[in-house]
Amino acid sequence: MGFFSGPNQVIADNAKELTGSKPIMEYLKPKTVAIPLKHMKSEAFDVHVEVGDDVKIGTKIATRNDNFTVPLFSSVSGKVIAIEKRDHVTLKKANHIIIENNFLDEKEPLFEPIADFRTLSRDDVVNYLKLDGHQGMSGDGYATYAKFEKVRHVRTVMLNGVECEPYITADEASMMNNADLLFEGLLLFIKGSGAKEGIIAIDRNRTDLAKILNETAKKYSDHYTDQNIKIKIQVSFVPDTYPMGWERTLIEEVLGFTYDINKYPVDAGVLVFNTTTAIEFARTLKTGLPLYERVVTLSGEGLANPQNVRVRIGTILKEVIDETGGYIEGFDPKNARLIAGGPFMGSGIITDELSIPAATGAFLSLVNTEKEVLPCLRCGSCIEHCPVGIQPVQIAAAHKIRDLDFMEKLGTDRCIECGACTFACPSFIEVADSTSKAKNFYLSRK
Amino acid sequence: MRFAYKPSPHIKARVSTKDILNTVLIALIFVTAWSLVAQFINFGTDYVLRSALIIAVACVVAILTNVVFYLVKTDGQKFSSFVERLKSTVPKTKKGAPLITALILALSLPVGTPIYAVIIATIFAEFFAKLLFGGFGGNVFNPAAVGLVVGGITFGSQVILPDVYAGATPLATISGLYGWRLTDATGLGFIAGYGGFIPMLFGAVRGSIGDPARVAVLIALVFMIYKRVLDWVVPAVYIATVVAITGLFSLYLGVGIWYPTLHVLSGGLLFGAVFMATDPVTTPVNRQGRILFAIFLAMVTLVIRFNSSHTESMAFSILIMNMFVPLIDRKTANITKESTTMKAVGVCIAFVIAISVTLGLTITLG
């Protein structure tokens, strides 16, 4: 935020009331689950099972084998019935391991449950993260252990529970029900990184959640680092703007400093994790079972009964939508959108017959989103609201004439594809789309 | 169920370019109404009717120019009847906001402008400055300023110099007789002739149609800032720069604080600052660029005012600065969040340059 740069964020109707006030529904008995053999952009996997094999909850079925080591686990007990190509949330087909549920919920723990986390060393934490294939649970799915590999001097671990995307309340619901696991997860990440301070950042309008977290924080005020320094634990409240959950915006808001645009938070001594990632890690250590369930928000005006639902990883989205009550009456997919993720950064998906991956916290169905495009007024709204501070309208113009020098000067490759520019455009132009196309063009020619 | 692919994001804010243009139009209609009432009170019925005629002609011609243009340019669309063809021009004309251009132009014209000159100026503004550039949003030059200047040059004396309806304008007198080199005696005597600044502000000024509505222009400015349809730094920096430069010049001349005030209240300066310099289409896209634009606009306005025979400097300076917009945009293309200090330094340097150039030229040319 500044005199020359504008607010660098937007205010959207957060639409959280659709799901936020309702209890979490459960859909834990899917007939089959489909575990995608895809992690981030990679499809390089060693598959450890064959069709016909019996598996249990927690059985390791595949491992990513390129630059990350990420194991995948079965989320039901039953039989592997197929390994086949299916639609994936990334819109491209990918291999999936299909497992038929025998509804016995037999479990195969990965390791002995850990009773007291204080006995763990710094390396233990990272090893367990690697062992249970933990990944970021709010969209990107970045392997959590990898965040610790770059660590040198980390001062602060921040848990990001801001959920700045409208509609989504999955993280909030998880925090409400697992406040203790949240703080335990935070302490684990602090141990794993050697930090001295832990911050949980949430939207300041979530008053019920704030009360619970403030109450729980008191219980965790008496912990010490290996060097016997008292760990400072704190809950921070941030405004309900978008993209407040972007780590750069969040760090500026909570810690009050900015860092070099070419660097990562860890270079500035801060490690940022999603809150649900922390909760599920603590749960895994307590039970010995890897992640096999998650809460996912199904919301939007296109659904008859928006709900937070606890599902098995790999459950088919269509089944869950039907379970909540399906689409609204007279629903016409031609006039609607289906989105994996939030309305800003989520990707538009073309079918609801997809498996729900661990990293996606929400599926939305929005109706009547189309608006007539008007000429660009050059009003500068996209520039003012860009959290990075780049100039989308000029980037699009530079891309049109393929002016690579100018695109470099404009910082084209810094676009984070957050969508704030399109949201803010009064002429309803797809600014974010043209900027990300320009970015891809620029990166391919550089 | 299958869905069509749509790029993200999937939601959009409610504010629309249509709302922005409507707000500007409302502000302009308010200024027009205020001006007509002030003219009626101060100068009587004949004067008002003449003004109203010019405004009406500009509006009608602006709309007709668009309709005729889109009747010819159909982009290969086929129509079964002429009526249908005519109907298709309506949404396209609406998108181009012809009434905004027409009102800005009409309010900038002297009351004595012959009607045929109004028609030609409007056609130039709409057709040559806007439609030929691909319509609204594609134009490089401020359409109203083009209309004003082209009309002014082609029909020089008639347009710019006031006739019997108008009487001598303050600007014409000061500029023509004294070249703005006033003394306390000449200047204050002149202002006293109009009854002081307050009547000048509230309407007793002959000149362009919009001149009697300076208070309304300021109210419109506040309204548009409140509605967030313009960037307030443009008029603020522009007027501040004008005051700074003319203030320094008043020290050189050895005259009072009335001097910069007279500058701000004379001619189309205030109106242009609010309605022309803030036109987003023909000004830089980011805030630093807009500030630089405003500073140099003030410089050009005053250089013309002090040193040229043209009394109407606002439209010229707008057009001259329009040419620099791509350059300013390019030079301010760096990430807007980075190095606020450097940007502030750049703005200060521009400010010093504007002051030095204006005063240097004016004093040397004597």
Side-chain angles (χ1 to χ4, degrees), chain A residues 268-288:
Chain A
V270 186
L271 267 180
V272 185
F273 302 92
N274 166 254
T275 46
T276 304
T277 310
I279 291 170
E280 294 304 330
F281 181 53
R283 195 199 306 280
T284 296
L285 292 194
K286 283 222 149 134
T287 59

Side-chain angles (χ1 to χ4, degrees), chain B residues 319-339:
Chain B
L319 293 182
I320 290 169
M321 283 311 295
N322 284 164
M323 291 188 271
F324 287 94
V325 168
L327 181 70
I328 294 174
D329 273 345
R330 219 179 155 95
K331 291 296 165 199
T332 57
N334 46 346
I335 290 189
T336 58
K337 274 181 98 172
E338 275 179 359
S339 65

Side-chain angles (χ1 to χ4, degrees), chain B residues 269-281:
Chain B
L269 196 144
L270 201 58
F271 183 77
V274 174
F275 286 103
M276 288 184 183
T278 56
D279 169 26
V281 178

Side-chain angles (χ1 to χ4, degrees), chain A residues 381-401:
Chain A
S381 182
C382 51
I383 298 171
E384 254 173 66
H385 293 100
C386 175
V388 189
I390 53 173
Q391 310 191 9
V393 56
Q394 293 222 66
I395 290 173
H399 182 213
K400 217 175 207 170
I401 55 169

